[in-house]
């Protein structure tokens, strides 16, 4: 058991470097601290001022990225300790990286999905206003990065090819417990293989009339 000093602020998310040397701790006030996992030495502290949507170590831990709700991407270079910022579309609801951490994908407040190529520093594609995305709470890739899926609060799963943005399938989770009931999703995630979903579900009974 290892104890890391995160201060008195309420923690919202945690990420690790792939070599387990560094741990990043974000709080609900938009600050993220990168620390040594072994001796708790602080490498850097980044403050965004907005809700942090995603943070992770990429490019063999040479870079640490932070994406906040305002659409600002902050890249911290762990070797040179330099920081770079990029502004994307404002109002981001959720985001993810592909398995190789080449593509940053996020859902905007207008229910559009944008796919950004981090290495080329350009937009790979956009998926425009799909109706089922209005209440989306999760987006993620399969283990090969060849399919991109979104799940909304009513259990609709929508899958695309991320490279040409073609719609592949659209499914809806049906409840079999009660007639006229529906399953409401509260949280979702994929396992390490990326081809199985785990969802936290609440079943709601909707009487006729």
């Amino acid at each position: 058991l290892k104890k890391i000093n995160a201060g008195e602020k309420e923690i919202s998310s945690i990420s690790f470097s792939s070599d387990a040397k560094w741990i990043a701790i974000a709080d609900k006030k938009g600050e993220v601290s990168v620390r040594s996992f072994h001796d708790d030495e602080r490498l850097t502290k980044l403050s965004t001022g907005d809700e942090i949507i995603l943070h992770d170590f990429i490019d063999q831990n040479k870079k640490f990225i932070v994406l906040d709700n305002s659409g600002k991407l902050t890249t911290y270079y762990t070797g040179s300790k330099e920081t770079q910022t990029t502004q994307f579309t404002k109002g981001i609801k959720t985001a993810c990286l592909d398995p190789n951490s080449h593509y940053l994908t996020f859902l905007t407040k207008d229910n559009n999905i944008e796919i950004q190529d981090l290495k080329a520093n350009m937009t790979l594609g956009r998926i425009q206003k799909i109706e089922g995305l209005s209440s989306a709470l999760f987006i993620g890739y399969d283990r090969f990065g060849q399919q991109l899926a979104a799940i909304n609060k009513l259990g609709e799963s929508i899958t695309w090819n991320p490279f040409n943005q073609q719609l592949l399938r659209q499914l809806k989770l049906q409840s079999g417990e009660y007639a006229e009931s529906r399953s409401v999703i509260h949280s979702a995630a994929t396992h390490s293989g990326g081809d199985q979903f785990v969802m936290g579900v609440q079943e709601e009974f909707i009487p006729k009339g």
Side-chain angles (χ1 to χ4, degrees):
L1 183 64
K2 180 75 176 179
K3 184 176 181 180
I4 301 292
N5 180 19
E8 299 180 355
K9 295 182 180 180
E10 188 174 355
I11 295 173
S12 60
S13 56
I14 295 172
S15 63
F16 285 90
S17 61
S18 61
D19 57 10
K21 289 183 179 179
W22 303 100
I23 181 173
I25 305 167
D27 64 39
K28 291 195 172 182
K29 292 191 176 181
E31 291 185 348
V32 57
S33 176
V34 180
R35 296 178 173 274
S36 167
F37 185 70
H38 299 291
D39 58 17
D40 199 22
E41 176 189 359
R42 190 168 75 186
L43 178 64
T44 188
K45 183 178 181 180
L46 304 172
S47 180
T48 68
D50 287 279
E51 177 190 359
I52 294 175
I53 303 298
L54 177 146
H55 58 88
D56 209 347
F57 297 85
I58 66 170
D59 195 11
Q60 298 179 333
N61 306 315
K62 295 176 184 176
K63 300 176 185 176
F64 175 71
I65 61 170
V66 180
L67 179 68
D68 66 24
N69 174 261
S70 73
K72 183 174 69 175
L73 176 70
T74 303
T75 303
Y76 176 79
Y77 297 84
T78 56
S80 64
K81 297 187 178 182
E82 295 180 355
T83 303
Q84 177 183 345
T85 60
T86 304
Q87 184 65 51
F88 296 131
T89 304
K90 293 184 177 180
I92 294 178
K93 296 197 282 188
T94 186
C96 68
L97 290 165
D98 76 299
N100 295 315
S101 299
H102 291 167
Y103 305 113
L104 173 65
T105 303
F106 51 84
L107 176 67
T108 71
K109 64 180 180 179
D110 296 322
N111 302 321
N112 298 324
I113 289 179
E114 295 191 18
I115 305 171
Q116 301 290 334
D117 186 329
L118 294 177
K119 287 189 174 294
N121 194 26
M122 61 181 292
T123 301
L124 177 69
R126 290 186 175 91
I127 300 170
Q128 302 290 335
K129 294 187 179 180
I130 303 297
E131 184 177 349
L133 294 179
S134 59
S135 58
L137 51 77
F138 170 84
I139 57 173
Y141 286 83
D142 72 337
R143 59 182 163 176
F144 301 113
Q146 296 176 351
Q147 296 185 45
L148 171 67
I151 298 176
N152 68 16
K153 292 181 179 179
L154 298 180
E156 289 180 287
S157 173
I158 312 169
T159 307
W160 302 267
N161 179 327
F163 301 106
N164 59 18
Q165 297 83 57
Q166 180 181 354
L167 180 66
L168 298 178
R169 70 187 68 87
Q170 189 165 355
L171 306 172
K172 187 168 184 178
L173 178 65
Q174 298 291 336
S175 173
E177 295 272 340
Y178 305 100
E180 303 300 326
S181 66
R182 67 179 181 182
S183 295
V184 178
I185 310 300
H186 291 280
S187 61
T190 59
H191 79 322
S192 58
D195 55 2
Q196 295 182 18
F197 290 107
V198 178
M199 289 175 276
V201 178
Q202 176 184 3
E203 192 163 23
E204 293 186 356
F205 177 68
I206 307 174
K208 290 183 179 180

